[in-house]
Amino acid sequence: MLKKQSLMQDITITSQINVFEKIQELPSDIQYLMGKAIEVRKNAYAPYSKFRVGAAILLDNGEIVIGSNQENAAYPSGLCAERVAIFHAGAVYPEATILKIAITAASESNKTVTPIPPCGSCRQSIAEYEIRQKTPIEIYFMGETGAIHKSASLKNLLPFMFDKSLL
């Protein structure tokens, strides 16, 4: 009996991430934005994870919208810093375009020196805005200290995006 061979294809995906070794290497507007994220990180309500995250979003109207993670004893009810900020931006400035997001995370248990990217839920939420506005959103992320990673678009972090065209 002859077996039919499958014609499997390989797909290669590449992402480009820029690395800045320290905040001082960032452009001055991004240093300021990351400073806002670091500042708001202190407002995180993280009694369970002890992992504080801050996010700051720069809009095309010049406004900066901030958010910090807000936990809940019923774990799925909490919200990440990125979604707190992006949903607030969408509610208060619905016509504005999101240009850049700065994210920083710090653990109360140990020093966080590895850049912390947005979680999957946050990536999907950022994707919704990037697709809706039809322009990329620059994403800068870091730990408490150390290197900062920059993605020119959410597509680098979530190459197979789910959007309304798939519904």
Side-chain angles (χ1 to χ4, degrees):
M1 179 187 252
L2 294 173
K3 289 186 179 182
K4 186 177 178 182
Q5 286 201 333
S6 72
L7 299 174
M8 180 188 81
Q9 294 182 18
D10 290 330
I11 297 173
T12 301
I13 299 170
T14 59
S15 293
Q16 182 172 339
I17 302 295
N18 304 111
V19 178
F20 299 87
E21 293 302 322
K22 53 189 174 190
I23 290 178
Q24 294 78 10
E25 292 179 6
L26 294 168
S28 59
D29 63 329
I30 304 304
Q31 286 183 42
Y32 182 77
L33 194 64
M34 189 62 78
K36 289 293 187 184
I38 291 167
E39 214 174 278
V40 75
R41 183 181 72 203
K42 298 170 190 161
N43 298 340
Y45 178 68
Y48 308 106
S49 71
K50 309 286 188 219
F51 195 75
R52 297 174 174 275
V53 182
I57 295 176
L58 176 63
L59 303 176
D60 66 344
N61 62 9
E63 294 290 332
I64 293 177
V65 179
I66 56 175
S68 59
N69 57 318
Q70 302 296 309
E71 295 181 350
N72 191 289
Y75 290 120
S77 298
L79 204 57
C80 298
E82 298 92 316
R83 285 181 284 152
V84 167
I86 205 164
F87 294 158
H88 182 76
V92 177
Y93 304 104
E95 301 303 318
T97 297
I98 298 169
L99 301 176
K100 304 165 195 261
I101 301 175
I103 304 160
T104 176
S107 171
E108 293 177 26
S109 305
N110 53 47
K111 192 133 180 123
T112 309
V113 296
T114 302
I116 307 295
C119 74
S121 293
C122 289
R123 291 177 198 206
Q124 185 60 45
S125 295
I126 296 166
E128 184 73 19
Y129 284 82
E130 188 169 283
I131 291 164
R132 184 175 83 182
Q133 68 187 31
K134 297 182 177 97
T135 57
I137 298 171
E138 289 182 9
I139 303 167
Y140 296 82
F141 52 95
M142 65 180 289
E144 183 177 356
T145 62
I148 300 96
H149 286 183
K150 174 201 172 194
S151 173
S153 169
L154 194 279
K155 291 179 183 177
N156 286 315
L157 304 177
L158 188 65
F160 290 109
M161 290 195 283
F162 181 84
D163 64 42
K164 64 184 177 183
S165 71
L166 301 171
L167 298 175

